[in-house]
Amino acid sequence: MAASSQITSMEVKTSKDHLKVHKMKKKVLRKQVRAQHTLMRHEGIECISHATQSLVIANAGLGNGMSRNQLLRIVEEYGLVETLLMPPNKPYSFVKYGTTEEAKKAFDALNGKEVTLEDFGQNIVLYINFVEKVLWQNAVPTSLPPGLMVIEKIISSEEERRMLESIDWIGDEDTQNDLCVFTAQKTLKHRRVKHFGYEFCYDNNNVDKDKPLPGGLPEICDLFLEECLKQGYIKHKPDQLTVNQYEPGQGIPPHIDTHSAFEDEIISLSLGAEIVMDFKHPDGHTVAIMLPRCSLLVMAGESRYLWTHGITPRKYDVIQASELGQKVGTITADVGDLTLNRRETRTSFTFRKVRRSPCNCIYPSVCDSQKGQQSQVQPSFPHNEMEASKLEQEYVHKVYEEIATHFSSTRHSPWPRIVEFLSSLPKGSIVADVGCGNGKYLGINKDLYMVGCDRSKNLVDICGEKNFQAFVCDALSVPIRSGSCDACISIAVIHHFSTAERRLATIRELARLLRPGGMALIYVWAMEQEYKKQKSKYLKEKNGSKDKEEEINTGMAQRPRLSDQMPHSSSQDSAYSDRLFNDSKDEGSDAKPVADSRLPVHTNRTSFHSQDLLVPWHLKGGTKKKGESVDTVSFPAGSKESQELSPVFHRYYHVFSEGELEAACRSLDCVRVQNSYYDQGNWCVVLEKL
């Protein structure tokens, strides 16, 4: 009897163990499948079920703290590693083995395995999938911003030691109330700071030129500055010094040193440790630059006046593995040569020359001295075809050429109901995407033959980079044979035409392309951003930030930006640092049509006051967005810094009132309205060609 009871107990225990193993296998499989979908959605890389030489390893990337050395040790246990690719800021890596058998061995051993990240002490679980091959296109090596230099080993280790010892952080903290103190010291959120010569005031981002600090610059800096003058790094001897001390994990927000405060050349010594500094052009182009220990950064001309620079607060930098972070120059996205580098305490000596007259640089859009001179007359509502064409050329066409790269970076997640329409079409259908933008919808359904067209050459070029078929044309005149398309889509396009006649002509052109029985889907921005007591995503993403309630109603507007509620906008489901450029709004009243008046400039993320308006696009984008890395620091959208750093473009829109789009479609006798609906702040119509 006892033996029987013991056997039963063992059977129960074995059953529980089997159940536990079964649940664990199901969990691993579920995570594995999720990793497959994420990789396909964000990178277009398809995982496969049969064994190959190549694996993708989820949770083992630079983006979640896995170093190249640790991952290489892990994967080398199972065979000869031919290639290890670690894309920057991604939470996965790719490995290629010498044989399929070795890859299969690694797959069996590592899938679902828990490992500890050496540099963080955090446990992670690896999820493995096979891939056919990895075609990862490295970023082209990028050059330094114009006017920027980095000089290695500008001082010796002994000189570095003396300069660091000359800064008494603790002693000066104890004597801050002493009238004889020659420096101004502060402990800021992101770093410790000490000023010499003149104090930089962070409340207005300027210096009081009439109140120099006693004592000037430290004597130890004199010989160094004389050598810089002799070498031609600077034209004027600096009279202001800011010393910053950064602990690992600290940084400085992206900024441009105030034009009216300082002269052209700004130089900065890196002492104690190396660092990666990020530079960004207003067009969205970014360059990460390694500043080695004891090196000198020189910013002049465009790099000083136009590019923002900052240090992302984090404990590790992504660097070139082969150079161990010691090589001067840009950090290129060479996925076969990137790793993590632990930061150490770094002190910077930044020298500037205080400006005594207004800045007259050639970058007025970011120059505080010239902002008052930037005023332009806002355009009026067009009264004839010529005025309409000119308005659209200036406030639609030119804008998208200017902002194409930045715009494309925020438009990548398709809208479900548009995907549903494309998925419902028969296999082999010929579909035209008129106003295709960056081609977000061109690859949705592989069973369709899709071709795109757009007025912006730069956006069409982006489609070409994705291997989509697209060409440049105006939506009023599409060079496609009449009746040749089974379907057409026009997503967030027709609201950019400035008269009712031109909007109707665009719909008529869509109908011309369709064969009898062919279908067209049209989306336009809705005046009603609150519909059936529900706020649109556009209004919801206001985030309630008081700082962001900024009305861009300034004469410095250069041209017009699409809001994130538009169908071409980016979604929130990215697992990576997808940057959404959120702009603010306040509550509005019913819209009023513009008659004979200037076009108003809309306050982003508010209800519409007018059907015809200009909508701001901040080229740089300042606020923290959903999906953005938590260790990224930037200025609030409404702050002084953001306005100085961000060129603002304005785009013309006609927002449609309820029933307006449907009525325009019904006025054409060649089509029939199959369906009309409201979708997250947009009016939508499905047409059938008669």
Side-chain angles (χ1 to χ4, degrees), residues 35-47:
Q36 292 176 6
H37 291 164
T38 300
L39 197 64
M40 184 63 188
R41 183 168 69 247
H42 293 286
E43 309 299 347
I45 297 174
E46 185 175 4
C47 298

Side-chain angles (χ1 to χ4, degrees), residues 233 489 522:
Y233 302 145
I489 60 173
I522 301 172

Side-chain angles (χ1 to χ4, degrees), residues 154-347:
I154 190 80
I155 59 173
S156 66
S157 298
E158 177 60 23
E159 289 170 318
E160 176 194 38
R161 182 187 64 78
R162 293 206 305 269
M163 293 187 80
L164 289 173
E165 288 178 352
S166 72
I167 306 301
D168 183 5
W169 297 103
I170 298 175
D172 283 352
E173 283 179 354
D174 295 336
T175 58
Q176 280 300 290
N177 294 321
D178 191 332
L179 295 178
C180 296
V181 171
F182 295 164
T183 66
Q185 179 170 328
K186 294 179 181 294
T187 301
L188 302 181
K189 178 181 179 182
H190 303 294
R191 62 202 185 279
R192 287 204 292 185
V193 179
K194 191 185 292 283
H195 300 289
F196 297 84
Y198 292 85
E199 181 178 4
F200 186 81
C201 301
Y202 293 96
D203 55 350
N204 64 0
N205 288 332
N206 216 315
V207 294
D208 189 339
K209 300 168 187 178
D210 298 323
K211 292 184 179 179
L213 296 170
L217 273 56
E219 289 184 15
I220 196 169
C221 299
D222 283 342
L223 287 177
F224 168 73
L225 294 175
E226 290 296 337
E227 184 64 22
C228 289
L229 283 165
K230 181 180 175 182
Q231 295 295 330
Y233 302 145
I234 51 177
K235 299 186 183 73
H236 311 284
K237 187 173 181 179
D239 54 9
Q240 195 274 338
L241 165 64
T242 298
V243 180
N244 288 286
Q245 187 179 81
Y246 306 86
E247 297 296 333
Q250 294 181 321
I252 185 170
H255 67 285
I256 299 174
D257 285 63
T258 309
H259 288 206
S260 63
F262 305 112
E263 294 284 357
D264 190 358
E265 303 92 352
I266 295 175
I267 59 175
S268 184
L269 266 173
S270 291
L271 307 178
E274 69 274 2
I275 199 73
V276 172
M277 182 173 283
D278 300 309
F279 286 78
K280 187 173 183 180
H281 189 276
D283 67 4
H285 176 59
T286 59
V287 180
I289 297 176
M290 169 59 70
L291 304 179
R293 183 174 178 175
C294 294
S295 69
L296 179 69
L297 169 69
V298 180
M299 293 183 290
E302 182 177 316
S303 65
R304 179 268 185 265
Y305 286 124
L306 187 62
W307 292 62
T308 65
H309 61 278
I311 297 171
T312 302
R314 57 192 174 210
K315 295 186 177 181
Y316 292 82
D317 282 320
V318 176
I319 64 167
Q320 252 50 77
S322 57
E323 302 295 340
L324 297 177
Q326 296 303 312
K327 184 180 179 183
V328 169
T330 60
I331 307 297
T332 59
D334 179 359
V335 296
D337 186 36
L338 293 178
T339 191
L340 297 176
N341 184 54
R342 184 192 294 269
R343 284 187 181 176
E344 298 176 2
T345 300
R346 171 182 174 267
T347 303

Side-chain angles (χ1 to χ4, degrees), residues 407-430:
F407 175 82
S408 177
S409 72
T410 67
R411 269 67 189 166
H412 55 78
S413 296
W415 276 39
R417 296 196 69 168
I418 300 172
V419 173
E420 181 183 330
F421 174 82
L422 293 172
S423 300
S424 70
L425 298 174
K427 185 175 181 178
S429 294
I430 297 172

